[in-house]
Amino acid sequence: MSQRQVLQGVMSLLRTLLLDVVPTIQQTAALALGRLANYNDDLAEAVVKCDILPQLVYSLAEQNRFYKKAAAFVLRAVGKHSPQLAQAIVDCGALDTLVICLEDFDPGVKEAAAWALRYIARHNAELSQAVVDAGAVPLLVLCIQEPEIALKRIAASALSDIAKHSPELAQTVVDAGAVAHLAQMLLNPDAKLKHQILSALSQVSKHSVDLAEMVVEAEIFPVVLTCLKDKDEYVKKNASTLIREIAKHTPELSQLVVNAGGVAAVIDCIGSCKGNTRLPGIMMLGYVAAHSENLAMAVIISKGVPQLSVCLSEEPEDHIKAAAAWALGQIGRHTPEHARAVAVTNTLPVLLSLYMSTESSEDLQVKSKKAIKSILQKCTYLPALEPFLYDAPPNILKHVVGQFSKVLPHDSKARRLFVTSGGLKKVQEIKAEPGSLLQEYINSINNCYPEEIVRYYSPGYSDTLLQRVDSYQPLNN
């Protein structure tokens, strides 16, 4: 007998047991089906093919609370694997029955129904819309107000999975009054509940300025900042994500985050954790800095640059390094003062080595190169630029020489230092195409010095002098 035949035999037997007159046998059969379906998508598909779902849905409305929990567990176990399997649950009319279960007297039945609805909604916008159309959202909002922590958690999680797909679905969650109730629960000591609440508020905030403003108006500040100090890593990460989703939209929302102490709190949070927990905080600093000079300066004043430099150097994962490189570029690209704040942390050589490294991912190389260029184009702090004359590839070198050509004509002290440090000599060694932008920059630098000084540091000048010695005829006494 093949494995498929055995499976069909098991399924038809369990289907028969679902119709047994003894309630405990029905429940045990449903539980067995749930465990099988939960194991992998092949078994979940077998449950669908054996036409078991209509029987479960029919019984879900009729039977006692124990059976309802078991039947909802089967629907959840089937629906979690793929959009196709979740659609099979919708097609057999399960949503209306599951929504009725959200009003059940027993919190365990509500919880089981919320789980099943969450697993259907999380796949895509169409399935999520089907859950909304069945009337689940207002009842899920009532569930988050119930005293049971487990029910609060799964209801918040289901609202998060509904809101994530589109602004319209997020608006449905807002219209049901979910945001105010979620915001009030941020003070709850339960870490799992907090991270589900923060996730739901993030999924609402991410879509648009209006939705983000609605979340802010629910007075999540300064309470959300306390979540950044939580012992639980998920709470920290989701709190950073929420602040990022708010700050990214407009300078005004970023300024609001700054005024609430959000930037300093996120920087502290980045310093207190490692790995992916840092990522949303790093990106949040980049978004804030990108909006304006003043906001970028707020990140600098809060000592964000040294913290981002630490992430750039010590994080092993390329995607986290890439985020830090991007954020540093957003901070340094505004004015010479901003660029200097980044340059003095010795970040530029690190960015250059990440850009040049063959072991860096393509994304990290691109982000490092972009950050270097945007910082260099504003940087007038010459001690940070000089090492680049020796190490940078031609496409970066052009920007470095360009900065020297801007600064040296107006700074006599820098001109002298450029000679004594060997910078002028190095510039004479650069081979530039005649008429190129690089050649123009070199000419501008050379024009800052007397011609004999430039000649003195040009390659081959010592040979020319020796030839003159050779050909020199001493004057006869």
Side-chain angles (χ1 to χ4, degrees):
M1 196 183 284
S2 72
Q3 195 174 356
R4 178 167 295 214
Q5 287 170 316
V6 171
L7 191 55
Q8 281 176 334
V10 169
M11 290 297 174
S12 59
L13 183 61
L14 287 169
R15 186 169 182 263
T16 310
L17 292 173
L18 283 176
L19 303 168
D20 200 277
V21 291
V22 181
T24 50
I25 290 176
Q26 293 175 2
Q27 291 150 31
T28 309
L31 206 56
L33 282 166
R35 285 182 179 155
L36 285 168
N38 199 40
Y39 185 70
N40 65 27
D41 51 355
D42 289 339
L43 290 168
E45 222 161 278
V47 171
V48 175
K49 283 182 179 159
C50 290
D51 219 20
I52 288 167
L53 293 181
Q55 176 59 44
L56 281 169
V57 173
Y58 172 75
S59 304
L60 195 59
E62 305 289 320
Q63 298 282 4
N64 66 26
R65 62 198 171 107
F66 301 109
Y67 185 91
K68 285 177 179 175
K69 281 190 267 192
F73 173 58
V74 181
L75 296 174
R76 158 191 165 186
V78 171
K80 79 171 191 179
H81 293 291
S82 70
Q84 293 76 19
L85 286 166
Q87 189 63 52
I89 293 171
V90 174
D91 294 343
C92 73
L95 291 182
D96 291 340
T97 317
L98 286 167
V99 169
I100 291 166
C101 287
L102 286 178
E103 296 184 271
D104 199 275
F105 181 72
D106 184 84
V109 174
K110 289 179 181 170
E111 191 190 330
W115 270 108
L117 290 165
R118 179 212 167 182
Y119 275 146
I120 294 164
R122 73 177 184 174
H123 290 294
N124 59 40
E126 292 74 28
L127 287 163
S128 198
Q129 189 63 55
V131 170
V132 169
D133 293 342
V137 173
L139 294 171
L140 288 166
V141 174
L142 288 174
C143 288
I144 59 176
Q145 298 168 64
E146 294 282 348
E148 292 80 15
I149 289 288
L151 180 55
K152 284 179 186 288
R153 282 181 197 156
I154 186 56
S157 182
L159 290 168
S160 176
D161 278 328
I162 290 167
K164 74 182 181 184
H165 299 291
S166 72
E168 294 75 23
L169 286 162
Q171 190 66 54
T172 309
V173 172
V174 171
D175 292 344
V179 170
H181 293 295
L182 290 165
Q184 282 167 6
M185 289 193 296
L186 282 173
L187 290 166
N188 194 295
D190 184 77
K192 281 186 182 169
L193 176 59
K194 270 193 288 202
H195 91 238
Q196 299 293 9
I197 290 164
L198 291 161
S199 169
L201 292 171
S202 300
Q203 299 294 7
V204 170
S205 302
K206 75 179 184 182
H207 295 291
S208 71
V209 179
D210 289 345
L211 288 164
E213 283 174 351
M214 284 174 183
V215 172
V216 170
E217 281 162 18
E219 297 180 2
I220 60 163
F221 291 103
V223 180
V224 73
L225 303 184
T226 62
C227 297
L228 293 169
K229 296 187 175 76
D230 203 274
K231 292 195 291 288
D232 187 279
E233 293 291 299
Y234 288 109
V235 173
K236 280 184 180 180
K237 186 180 179 185
N238 287 5
S240 297
T241 304
L242 172 55
I243 297 167
R244 177 192 76 194
E245 297 298 6
I246 291 165
K248 76 179 184 184
H249 290 293
T250 63
E252 291 76 21
L253 281 166
S254 269
Q255 190 63 57
L256 190 145
V257 170
V258 171
N259 295 348
V263 167
V266 165
I267 291 164
D268 287 346
C269 178
I270 294 170
S272 71
C273 55
K274 294 272 186 290
N276 276 320
T277 309
R278 280 174 157 173
L279 189 57
I282 292 168
M283 291 178 70
M284 176 265 183
L285 295 177
Y287 281 129
V288 170
H291 285 305
S292 73
E293 286 179 23
N294 289 345
L295 287 163
M297 192 49 75
V299 175
I300 291 168
I301 290 164
S302 297
K303 302 196 167 49
V305 174
Q307 196 60 71
L308 288 168
S309 300
V310 167
C311 296
L312 190 70
S313 301
E314 73 174 31
E315 280 295 335
E317 298 278 346
D318 276 12
H319 69 283
I320 300 173
K321 286 181 188 285
W326 170 77
L328 287 160
Q330 298 304 324
I331 294 165
R333 70 181 175 83
H334 293 285
T335 69
E337 196 181 353
H338 291 78
R340 181 178 178 136
V342 177
V344 294
T345 59
N346 206 31
T347 297
L348 287 167
V350 179
L351 286 168
L352 183 64
S353 67
L354 291 170
Y355 166 55
M356 303 282 282
S357 171
T358 51
E359 290 177 14
S360 294
S361 68
E362 188 183 347
D363 182 51
L364 177 54
Q365 288 178 331
V366 168
K367 295 244 180 8
S368 298
K369 178 186 173 187
K370 209 167 180 181
I372 292 165
K373 282 171 75 171
S374 53
I375 295 163
L376 285 180
Q377 282 166 349
K378 293 293 179 191
C379 188
T380 56
Y381 179 60
L382 300 187
L385 295 180
E386 207 155 302
F388 276 70
L389 288 172
Y390 301 90
D391 303 329
N395 57 339
I396 303 284
L397 185 64
K398 176 177 68 182
H399 299 291
V400 179
V401 177
Q403 289 310 103
F404 279 108
S405 76
K406 287 178 199 168
V407 177
L408 291 173
H410 313 291
D411 189 335
S412 58
K413 192 177 168 190
R415 287 199 293 274
R416 182 183 173 83
L417 199 61
F418 194 58
V419 174
T420 56
S421 68
L424 184 63
K425 180 175 186 290
K426 182 62 192 168
V427 166
Q428 305 316 310
E429 293 166 9
I430 296 170
K431 291 177 174 58
E433 292 284 323
S436 67
L437 196 58
L438 179 57
Q439 187 60 60
E440 279 181 38
Y441 292 150
I442 292 170
N443 293 345
S444 298
I445 292 170
N446 290 346
N447 289 342
C448 297
Y449 296 95
E451 196 181 334
E452 61 270 27
I453 293 282
V454 175
R455 273 211 311 275
Y456 179 75
Y457 286 108
S458 296
Y461 182 67
S462 54
D463 295 340
T464 309
L465 284 180
L466 285 171
Q467 283 169 7
R468 284 175 65 184
V469 167
D470 290 343
S471 60
Y472 184 70
Q473 294 297 324
L475 293 170
N476 293 324
N477 291 333

